[in-house]
Every structure is written in structure tokens, then in C-alpha cells.
């Protein structure tokens, strides 16, 4: 509904209310007033405690008839989109602790519910209306139940109830409501295993609820990982360094971090730093812990990768006159990176899963959300949903690892795509140019008279036959 | 031109009047080793190895006392049984091995006992072709030839690329410029490696058994390239090899090593046809 329309309606309601107020002030018996004791609604959120608008719920309204009043009719009104249509109303009238024999009839008409009593309700009577199957406005908000009643002096305004907190009805909640109704869901949930681990309604709720936690997991690991890679590389280079002290520091770092559980490292960082009056945001600290932990593993991966590069590569680079850094960054590391991509990806998967441990120290990540939802619903389904969230990331990465491994193995065998023919043609053309410009020293030696077939890339010196 | 190969002197155009007898006379007068190379009077050797010694792990003595001079433009072929120290000598010249004792002078400049920074500068003058090629597998053939020029010689990319294409053309692999080493045959890889070394325009090119890791049918391609380089470039080459045909054909001088010393050296035909030393005779006999 458009805002304007809503405000118009509000205006109309306000005018009606004002008119009624004016009317009641004009009445001499206005001192007598039916009090509104309470108006509450039953939570209708699956796995939650909220009241959702637009979905069936139960409104309980209670009012007490004042001294000298004889109430014959009570009308409850909901704002705008609320509806009583299709609701069944249970009318209870209590006289003290006893149930009064007072019959009434409820007639629903859109956002209005009128209860007419056959006999007037007299002083001290408690009127309780339980309207099952009514709906609050689907956009949610603080809902005030207003209305009017009729006593012997005519129509009176009913005091407004305390606001009822409702939340908007999202497509998800609509879906959950739909699932609640669906016969197959009921049949499904009647199976103890399916109902406990794969309850459709909870699955839907969990998918929506867990997203922020999932994003935080991804964010933590995605931010932590580049730091871990740089840190890991530094420690890897330190570990293969000639200097004993650097080697020692690196070995200590790697062994301590790899030799202790991440859980312990998390506890030390999260509880130790605040005790030293160092207060870092939980999420940032989570990034730091994951980065430091991963860097130790990456350092070992990089070290092994660097050392797997044959000595000949170093010799070839240094015979060209390259220094240590040129050799490392132009020759060794590019080859290392290719080789370690699968292992590093596996390690990334591990780090991503390890973020779950941060739930133990209150980082609001995936596991935390799942745990909360499970404790509210008493159902295992949120954990299954969390598992799916982990798998959505890890399964494709596992696939990537195997594809990359295959491609590396293939290219080391000399497989893989060949350059396109036109490149070769271009190269030949360029070489022609070089020849013509007279730059080539021994290109000149390869004049026509020599048995040199550039198209074949083969050289057939005649003397070879004499070897 | 291959037809002229039986007359070793024809490849030396300057001075045209120079013949074998005169070269031999100059060599004798100046106490130079017998070589097909044309010596210029008063010239210093480009590589001078004096009493070179190399011991591994403090016990295995690979080089005992190597003395060898190599002149500018000379093609010196080093022969010898395995374990004679020829590869170690070559690696010492390039400082891939640190000499235990003795001196190596390149263009009269001492290269032993230098800092790693100086070693890098010295190595620019010394191209090396390895037995196992040692191409950089993550780079294409062209990039392999370019990388030393751009990183070490600080040439522009365009300059380096032009040079790379030129050298790849010279070794007959212009059409393989964009291939990566694993996609090339062993012979092609070794030719790229030669192009890579030549592109740095070193003073001396060192070949460490460049054809030993190749299938026989690929050997001739590589030898062909080396031959072209020897005959038409002005490169000084020290070639450790087992290719006797190449040594005889292309070498200006043959050096025979055994037990960490130079046992015999001289004109290829002298050493091959009329070896003086007992070990040389034995070695050449076992080859034949």
C-alpha cells in the first residue's frame, strides 16, 4: 500500500476517533468506562518469539466492566490492514473467578470485530476475547488495539491497548506459513529423523537467518588470507635463509602455531589481550587469529614449494647475473605459486572451516547463528543448514583443487593449449624484420644457402651425418 | 660453406694471408697453446685460470691444479672421462662453484673471492648453457630469452623482445617463440637456452655437456646451432662435451682433462690423431 493512502486512512481514523471522543465527552455518563486490561498476541514465528503481521495468530483482549456499567457490545479495531475476517472468537466472561453465564456473538468485518452480548455485562465482569486466526497488518510495527463499546448510555470509546510489537511479514515468513499448512510437510515432519534434521520450515528460516553469519565467516577468512599469504611467505623465506637467527625465529613461529590447537590460540588471544588492556573488536581479532594461524601452515607450504624447484633454476638465473631477489621474484616464486595453488586452496578451505571455532568466543559467525536458532527451536535443522552454507563454499573449491592439480600435471608433461598459429606467423615476420635491419649477427649466417627450414623449426647441418 | 670445413684456416678471414704454419709460429713465439685460432700479438687471454683447486666437503679433491688460458674468439673444447673435473672447472669459471684455491681472471680481472653483488656483475660476462637446459618453465621461449636482458641488463621490453626474436631466429625457433619449455622437445629447449645465453652478449659462453641429455636425433640440431655460433659469431666458447666430431670440426683447440688437471692440449687433429699422453690415448681409444 502506498504511504499516501496509508496516511489518508490514518487521517480518517483520527477524525473518527476525534468525533467519537467529542461525542463521548458530550455524554453525561462518560465517567463510567470499560477498562482495557490487556491485549496480547501469540507469537507465530517458527523458531522465534515474534509476532509476524499478515499471518494467522491469536489476539487476546481483556477488559473489566466498571461499576454501574452495562456493556452490551464491544468492538475491537485494528489499524489499516489488520483483519479479523475468518477468525473464530472465544468469548469468556468471568465474574471474579467464576465463569459468568453470558453468551455473546462475534461478527468480524475487516479490521473490526463486534461482539454483542445477549445480556448486558455488568460491573466487575471480566471480558476476555480470544480471537484465533486473526492477522495483524503485514508490514508489522507496534499495533494498538482500539475500538468502542456500547453501554446503557450509548456508544463509548474503548481505551487504547498497550502496543503489541509485531514484525513485518517477509516472503520467507509467508513461505514458512505456507509450509506449515502443506500436507507433505506435515507428513515429512512426522518422520522423527527428517523432522529433527531436515524440517522444511526451519530450513527456510535458517537459510535466511544464517546469511549474516555466513557472510562474516567469508569476510573473516577473505580478509585474513592475504595477510596470511604475505606473512607465510616472509616466514618461508626466513626458514630457507642462510642466517641462523632468521631460521630459528621462523622455525619457532611455525612449530608453535602448528603444534598447538587453533582453539587454544583463539582463547589466548581473545581472553589474554583484554587482560592486558588491549581491546580489539572481536571480528578484527578473529581475522588476526585466523591470519596468524594460517600463516604458519602457509609458510610450510611455501617452503616446501620453493625447495621443490630444481637447483638448476637457481643456477640458470644466477648465470644470467640475477641477484637473490630477482631470482626469487622472477623465477622461483612464480613457479612455486603454480605448484602450491592446490595446497594453498586446501588450506584456505581449512581456514574457512576454522572460523567456526570463533563462535566459542562470541564472534557472530555462522555457527553462532545456527547454535542460537537450534536452542530456540530445539531442532537440529539449523546445524544442517550451517553445514550446507559451509559446503556451498568448500565443494566448489575442492573441485577447483582437483582441476588445477590436473592442469599442472598436464602442463608439466608438455600438454595444454599451444599458442595460436598467428602468433607464430607474427614472430616469424618480426624475425624477418630483424634480419632485414641487419641487426642479426648469426641470423645472417642462416641465409638461404644454409639448410635451415624455419617453417619446420629444424636445422639440418650436413656435417651431422659425419658425427 | 660446410664443404670448406676440411680446411680449418679458411674461416679466418683476417688477415687473409694467415695460414696454419704462421699461426703455429706465432703461438710458438708467444708461448701460446697450439690452436686453430688466430692470435693477435700482445693480446691477453679473456679467461685465465691459474692453479685452480676445488675440494668438495673438504675431502673430495675434484680440481687439483688447473691452468688454462682462453683467448678472445677461441673455441676451446674440453674433453675427459667423467669425474675428471671438466664440469667443475666450467662451473668455477661461472662461480657456480667457489674455487678452493687458485685464480680465475676474466679480461684480466680477478673473479675469485668477490662479494655476491660483484659476482652478479661478473656473471653477466659469462653465459652458461647447462646439460639439463634449465629453461624457466613458467615463461615462454621468448620470455626466457628476454628475462635476463630486462632484469639484469635493464633493457626495455621492446629492445629485449627484438633481441629475443633475433636470437630465436638464429637458433631456428622463431615459430616457437610463444611456446613454453614443456611444450618443446629437448633439442628445441637447448637451442632456446643457447639463445638465452647469447642474448646477454657475454664475453665467454660456457657449455656444460649441452647434448648429453638429448636423444641422438636431437643432438645434431643443437650441435648445428653451436657450430653456427662458433663459425659466424665472434663469441669465445668453452665447451665441455663428449661429441668428438664437434670437437674435431669446430674446436680451435682441444683440452684433455683427467684427475683434476689439464693433461694435454693442442690442435684438434694433433690431439685426436697423435695424442702424446698415455691417458689421452687410453681415453680416445675407449671412445673409438
Amino acid at each position: 500500500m502506498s504511504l499516501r493512502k496509508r496516511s489518508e486512512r490514518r487521517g480518517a481514523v483520527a477524525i473518527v476517533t476525534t468525533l467519537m471522543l467529542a461525542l463521548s465527552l458530550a455524554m453525561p455518563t462518560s465517567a463510567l468506562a470499560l477498562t482495557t486490561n490487556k491485549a496480547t498476541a501469540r507469537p507465530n514465528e517458527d523458531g522465534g518469539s515474534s509476532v509476524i503481521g499478515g499471518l494467522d495468530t491469536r489476539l487476546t483482549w481483556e477488559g473489566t466492566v466498571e461499576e454501574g456499567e452495562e456493556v452490551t457490545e464491544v468492538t475491537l479495531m485494528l489499524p489499516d490492514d489488520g483483519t479479523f475476517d475468518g477468525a473464530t472468537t472465544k468469548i469468556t466472561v468471568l465474574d471474579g473467578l467464576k465463569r459468568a453465564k453470558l453468551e455473546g456473538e462475534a461478527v468480524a468485518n475487516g479490521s473490526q470485530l463486534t461482539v454483542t452480548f445477549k445480556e448486558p455485562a455488568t460491573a466487575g465482569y471480566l471480558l476476555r476475547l480470544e480471537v484465533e486466526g486473526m492477522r495483524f497488518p503485514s508490514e508489522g510495527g507496534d499495533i494498538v488495539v482500539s475500538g468502542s463499546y456500547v453501554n446503557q448510555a450509548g456508544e463509548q470509546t474503548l481505551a487504547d491497548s498497550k502496543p503489541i510489537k509485531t514484525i513485518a511479514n517477509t516472503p520467507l515468513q509467508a513461505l514458512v506459513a505456507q509450509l506449515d499448512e502443506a500436507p507433505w510437510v506435515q507428513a515429512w515432519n512426522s518422520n522423527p529423523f527428517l523432522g529433527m534434521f531436515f524440517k522444511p520450515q526451519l530450513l527456510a528460516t535458517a537459510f535466511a537467518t544464517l546469511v549474516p553469519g555466513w557472510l562474516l565467516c567469508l569476510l573473516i577468512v577473505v580478509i585474513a588470507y592475504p595477510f596470511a599469504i604475505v606473512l607465510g611467505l616472509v616466514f618461508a623465506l626466513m626458514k630457507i635463509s642462510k642466517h641462523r637467527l632468521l631460521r630459528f625465529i621462523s622455525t619457532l613461529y611455525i612449530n608453535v602455531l602448528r603444534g598447538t590447537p587453533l582453539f587454544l590460540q583463539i582463547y589466548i588471544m581473545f581472553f589474554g589481550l583484554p587482560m592486558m588492556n588491549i581491546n580489539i573488536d572481536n571480528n578484527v581479532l578473529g581475522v588476526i587469529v585466523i591470519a596468524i594461524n594460517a600463516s604458519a601452515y602457509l609458510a610450510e607450504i611455501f617452503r616446501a614449494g620453493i625447495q621443490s624447484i630444481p637447483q638448476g633454476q637457481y643456477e640458470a638465473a644466477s648465470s644470467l647475473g640475477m641477484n637473490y631477489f630477482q631470482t626469487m621474484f622472477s623465477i622461483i616464486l612464480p613457479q612455486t605459486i603454480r605448484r602450491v595453488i592446490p595446497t594453498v586452496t586446501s588450506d584456505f578451505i581449512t581456514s574457512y572451516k576454522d572460523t567456526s571455532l570463533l563462535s566459542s568466543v562470541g564472534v557472530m559467525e555462522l555457527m553462532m547463528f545456527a547454535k542460537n536458532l537450534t536452542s530456540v527451536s530445539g531442532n537440529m535443522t539449523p546445524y544442517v543448514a550451517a553445514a550446507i552454507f559451509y559446503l556451498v563454499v568448500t565443494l566448489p573449491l575442492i573441485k577447483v583443487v582437483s582441476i588445477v592439480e590436473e592442469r599442472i600435471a598436464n602442463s608439466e608433461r608438455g600438454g595444454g593449449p599451444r599458442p595460436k598459429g598467428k602468433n607464430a606467423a607474427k614472430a616469424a615476420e618480426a624475425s624477418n624484420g630483424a634480419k632485414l635491419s641487419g641487426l642479426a649477427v648469426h641470423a645472417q649466417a642462416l641465409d638461404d644457402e644454409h639448410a635451415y627450414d624455419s617453417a619446420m623449426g629444424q636445422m639440418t647441418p650436413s656435417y651431422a651425418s659425419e658425427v | 660453406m660446410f664443404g670448406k670445413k676440411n680446411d680449418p684456416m679458411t674461416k679466418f678471414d683476417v688477415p687473409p694471408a694467415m695460414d696454419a704454419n704462421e699461426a703455429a709460429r706465432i703461438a710458438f713465439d708467444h708461448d701460446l697453446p697450439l690452436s686453430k685460432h688466430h692470435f693477435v700479438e700482445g693480446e691477453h687471454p679473456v679467461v685465465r685460470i691459474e692453479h685452480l683447486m676445488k675440494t668438495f666437503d673438504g675431502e673430495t679433491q675434484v680440481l687439483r691444479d688447473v691452468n688454462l688460458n682462453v683467448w678472445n674468439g677461441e673455441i676451446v673444447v674440453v674433453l675427459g672421462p667423467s669425474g675428471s673435473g671438466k664440469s667443475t672447472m666450467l662451473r668455477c669459471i661461472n662461480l657456480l662453484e667457489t674455487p678452493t684455491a687458485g685464480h680465475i681472471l676474466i679480461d684480466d680481472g680477478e673473479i675469485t673471492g668477490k662479494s655476491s653483488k660483484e659476482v652478479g656483475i661478473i656473471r653477466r660476462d659469462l653465459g652458461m648453457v647447462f646439460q639439463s637446459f634449465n629453461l624457466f618453465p613458467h615463461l615462454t621461449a621468448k620470455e626466457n630469452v628476454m628475462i635476463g636482458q630486462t632484469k639484469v641488463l635493464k633493457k626495455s621490453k621492446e629492445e629485449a623482445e627484438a633481441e629475443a626474436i633475433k636470437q630465436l631466429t638464429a637458433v631456428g625457433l622463431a615459430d616457437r617463440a610463444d611456446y613454453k619449455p614443456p611444450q618443446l622437445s629437448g633439442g628445441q629447449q637447448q637451442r632456446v637456452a643457447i639463445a638465452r645465453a647469447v642474448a646477454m652478449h657475454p664475453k665467454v659462453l660456457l657449455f656444460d655437456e649441452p647434448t648429453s641429455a638429448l636423444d641422438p636425433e636431437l643432438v645434431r640440431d643443437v650441435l648445428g646451432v653451436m657450430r653456427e655460433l662458433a663459425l659466424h659469431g665472434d663469441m669465445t666458447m668453452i665447451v665441455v662435451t663428449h661429441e668428438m666430431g664437434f670437437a674435431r670440426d669446430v674446436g680451435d683447440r682441444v683440452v684433455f682433462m683427467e684427475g683434476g688437471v689439464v693433461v694435454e692440449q693442442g690442435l684438434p687433429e694433433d690431439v685426436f690423431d697423435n695424442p702424446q699422453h698415455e691417458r689421452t690415448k687410453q681415453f680416445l681409444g675407449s671412445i673409438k
Side-chain angles (χ1 to χ4, degrees):
Chain A
M1 186 203 301
S2 78
L3 255 165
R4 207 174 131 230
K5 214 169 156 197
R6 274 179 64 182
S7 62
E8 270 172 10
R9 282 220 191 165
R10 281 228 177 104
V13 169
I15 289 164
V16 168
T17 317
T18 322
L19 277 175
M20 278 172 18
L21 203 71
L23 206 70
S24 66
L25 280 173
M27 296 289 171
T29 52
S30 60
L32 305 169
L34 174 66
T35 57
T36 301
N37 293 0
K38 71 163 193 177
T40 56
R42 180 173 53 92
N44 57 354
E45 185 188 32
D46 206 26
S49 55
S50 304
V51 179
I52 303 163
L55 292 180
D56 283 0
T57 184
R58 186 182 63 204
L59 172 70
T60 307
W61 179 90
E62 282 178 9
T64 312
V65 183
E66 288 294 297
E67 197 68 41
E69 250 186 341
E70 291 186 350
V71 176
T72 51
E73 195 181 292
V74 174
T75 302
L76 298 182
M77 271 178 70
L78 291 174
D80 302 353
D81 286 353
T83 177
F84 289 111
D85 285 342
T88 52
T89 309
K90 191 176 157 205
I91 302 161
T92 316
V93 181
L94 294 172
D95 179 10
L97 289 172
K98 276 190 300 182
R99 192 180 285 260
K101 278 186 187 158
L102 189 65
E103 282 181 29
E105 197 187 358
V107 177
N109 179 20
S111 61
Q112 259 188 29
L113 180 84
T114 307
V115 178
T116 319
F117 299 103
K118 284 183 178 159
E119 295 158 44
T122 53
Y125 275 27
L126 177 80
L127 308 178
R128 180 191 289 158
L129 309 177
E130 288 166 288
V131 194
E132 183 73 53
M134 56 75 64
R135 292 167 185 214
F136 287 105
S138 49
E139 58 265 35
D142 290 345
I143 305 299
V144 172
V145 181
S146 58
S148 60
Y149 67 98
V150 174
N151 62 11
Q152 67 271 36
E155 190 164 318
Q156 312 288 336
T157 306
L158 201 57
D160 284 352
S161 72
K162 277 184 190 159
I164 301 168
K165 256 194 173 43
T166 67
I167 60 173
N169 183 20
T170 57
L172 167 78
Q173 276 135 3
L175 174 71
V176 170
Q178 218 172 22
L179 287 173
D180 273 332
E181 299 295 310
W184 72 266
V185 173
Q186 283 158 13
W188 177 282
N189 288 341
S190 66
N191 176 310
F193 172 73
L194 294 178
M196 181 50 76
F197 291 96
F198 297 96
K199 190 178 174 190
Q201 300 97 308
L202 257 180
L203 218 47
T205 312
F207 276 139
T209 320
L210 298 188
V211 166
W214 179 56
L215 291 179
L216 186 63
C217 279
L218 277 178
L219 203 66
I220 286 175
V221 77
V222 163
I223 294 174
Y225 224 69
F227 289 110
I229 286 174
V230 172
L231 216 54
L233 196 56
V234 168
F235 280 103
L237 291 177
M238 277 167 72
K239 190 153 187 194
I240 57 171
S241 145
K242 276 180 265 177
H243 303 280
R244 279 181 74 176
L245 182 65
L246 292 182
R247 278 208 309 273
F248 173 76
I249 293 171
S250 168
T251 308
L252 188 72
Y253 178 87
I254 293 169
N255 288 353
V256 166
L257 283 168
R258 275 165 38 112
T260 54
L262 173 59
F263 199 56
L264 178 96
Q265 294 161 21
I266 289 172
Y267 266 46
I268 287 178
M269 291 285 272
F270 274 77
F271 300 132
L273 290 183
M275 284 184 187
M276 289 167 61
N277 275 332
I278 303 169
N279 289 302
I280 305 173
D281 176 74
N282 263 7
N283 296 342
V284 176
L285 202 52
V287 168
I288 293 170
V289 177
I290 294 289
I292 289 175
N293 181 264
S295 75
Y297 288 88
L298 287 174
E300 272 298 278
I301 292 170
F302 290 147
R303 187 210 39 87
I306 290 169
Q307 289 184 338
S308 77
I309 304 296
Q311 193 59 30
Q313 293 291 310
Y314 292 91
E315 290 183 357
S318 42
S319 79
L320 289 174
M322 289 191 187
N323 61 31
Y324 175 80
F325 285 100
Q326 288 168 335
T327 305
M328 269 299 162
F329 288 95
S330 303
I331 306 300
I332 306 301
L333 289 181
Q335 294 183 54
T336 307
I337 287 165
R338 254 156 246 236
R339 290 190 185 197
V340 301
I341 281 174
T343 336
V344 169
T345 313
S346 297
D347 188 71
F348 179 86
I349 292 171
T350 307
S351 285
Y352 170 60
K353 291 185 298 181
D354 281 349
T355 57
S356 61
L357 291 173
L358 293 172
S359 68
S360 63
V361 287
V363 175
M364 286 304 289
E365 49 66 74
L366 189 48
M367 269 305 286
M368 194 71 166
F369 276 92
K371 215 156 63 177
N372 289 349
L373 201 52
T374 291
S375 58
V376 170
S377 63
N379 192 292
M380 287 291 124
T381 308
Y383 286 139
V384 173
I388 291 168
F389 271 108
Y390 283 113
L391 289 172
V392 159
V393 175
T394 54
L395 289 185
L397 284 178
I398 289 168
K399 183 75 187 160
V400 165
V401 170
S402 66
I403 289 173
V404 170
E405 270 174 349
E406 204 170 296
R407 275 181 60 176
I408 288 173
N410 191 28
S411 79
E412 275 177 6
R413 281 196 305 268
R418 255 62 181 172
K420 291 278 187 296
K422 73 174 191 326
N423 284 347
K426 226 168 68 188
E429 205 176 286
S431 67
N432 268 340
K435 225 190 271 189
L436 286 172
S437 68
L439 281 169
V441 178
H442 38 277
Q444 287 168 350
L446 299 165
D447 272 338
D448 304 338
E449 62 167 299
H450 302 299
Y452 165 56
D453 184 354
S454 92
M456 295 296 290
Q458 284 282 330
M459 188 166 270
T460 50
S462 57
Y463 104 102
S465 57
E466 294 161 36
V467 175
Chain B
M1 75 141 237
F2 291 124
K4 300 174 190 167
K5 74 170 179 51
N6 290 333
D7 184 353
M9 284 296 102
T10 52
K11 69 173 176 171
F12 300 105
D13 303 330
V14 183
M18 178 75 91
D19 65 9
N21 289 333
E22 193 169 349
R25 187 189 59 75
I26 293 174
F28 185 79
D29 286 353
H30 293 85
D31 194 22
L32 304 173
L34 274 173
S35 168
K36 287 190 273 185
H37 185 67
H38 159 57
F39 296 104
V40 177
E41 291 199 46
E43 187 189 357
H44 286 213
V46 64
V47 179
R48 183 184 295 177
I49 302 170
E50 285 170 358
H51 306 295
L52 178 64
M53 221 168 88
K54 175 66 188 177
T55 310
F56 284 110
D57 305 328
E59 44 189 273
T60 323
Q61 195 168 34
V62 180
L63 298 180
R64 284 217 286 257
D65 183 15
V66 176
N67 293 283
L68 184 69
N69 290 338
V70 179
W71 271 262
N72 197 16
E74 200 180 13
I75 313 297
V76 173
V77 180
V78 183
L79 302 175
S82 58
S84 59
K86 36 191 208 311
S87 281
T88 306
M89 180 194 73
L90 209 62
R91 292 167 62 83
C92 280
I93 297 173
N94 203 3
L95 294 175
L96 288 176
E97 305 292 352
T98 311
T100 311
H103 300 281
I104 300 172
L105 290 89
I106 305 292
D107 256 355
D108 292 331
E110 176 70 67
I111 65 165
T112 54
K114 298 287 183 186
S115 73
S116 62
K117 199 173 176 184
E118 290 168 306
V119 166
I121 295 165
I122 290 162
R123 280 180 179 145
R124 290 178 199 176
D125 292 337
L126 300 160
M128 181 94 167
V129 176
F130 298 89
Q131 181 178 352
S132 50
F133 331 137
N134 294 349
L135 288 183
F136 307 128
H138 62 300
L139 301 176
T140 63
K142 189 172 72 186
E143 289 164 343
N144 263 281
V145 184
M146 284 167 66
I147 192 157
Q149 302 179 60
T150 52
K151 298 283 174 195
V152 179
L153 303 180
K154 308 290 179 197
K155 282 197 197 172
S156 73
K157 201 172 164 264
E158 292 71 30
E159 250 183 305
E161 188 165 3
E163 177 73 27
I165 295 293
K166 189 176 89 180
Q167 298 304 344
L168 285 175
T169 308
V171 299
L173 288 173
D175 58 335
R176 293 287 187 273
D178 293 324
Y179 280 55
K180 294 211 171 160
Q183 300 171 331
L184 299 171
S185 74
Q188 289 171 333
Q189 288 191 48
Q190 191 61 295
R191 281 146 65 192
V192 173
I194 292 171
R196 177 175 70 179
V198 173
M200 300 293 285
H201 295 289
K203 287 178 181 154
V204 183
L205 256 185
L206 310 170
F207 290 82
D208 187 7
E209 303 198 24
T211 56
S212 297
L214 295 173
D215 292 341
E217 71 267 26
L218 301 174
V219 167
R220 62 174 191 186
D221 295 344
V222 172
L223 290 180
V225 165
M226 289 169 63
R227 188 188 163 84
E228 287 298 335
L229 205 55
L231 297 186
H232 295 279
D234 50 3
M235 203 65 80
T236 308
M237 290 163 62
I238 303 177
V239 185
V240 170
T241 186
H242 293 292
E243 296 290 337
M244 298 304 155
F246 179 85
R248 185 187 277 265
D249 259 16
V250 182
D252 291 326
R253 177 157 47 113
V254 168
V255 172
F256 179 76
M257 278 182 77
E258 158 83 67
V261 292
V262 173
V263 172
E264 187 169 352
Q265 55 175 316
L267 285 166
E269 41 273 54
D270 287 349
V271 174
F272 281 114
D273 300 336
N274 189 21
Q276 300 300 306
H277 200 277
E278 196 52 41
R279 282 297 295 128
T280 321
K281 285 178 194 168
Q282 237 177 24
F283 175 73
L284 292 172
S286 71
I287 294 276
K288 274 168 192 167

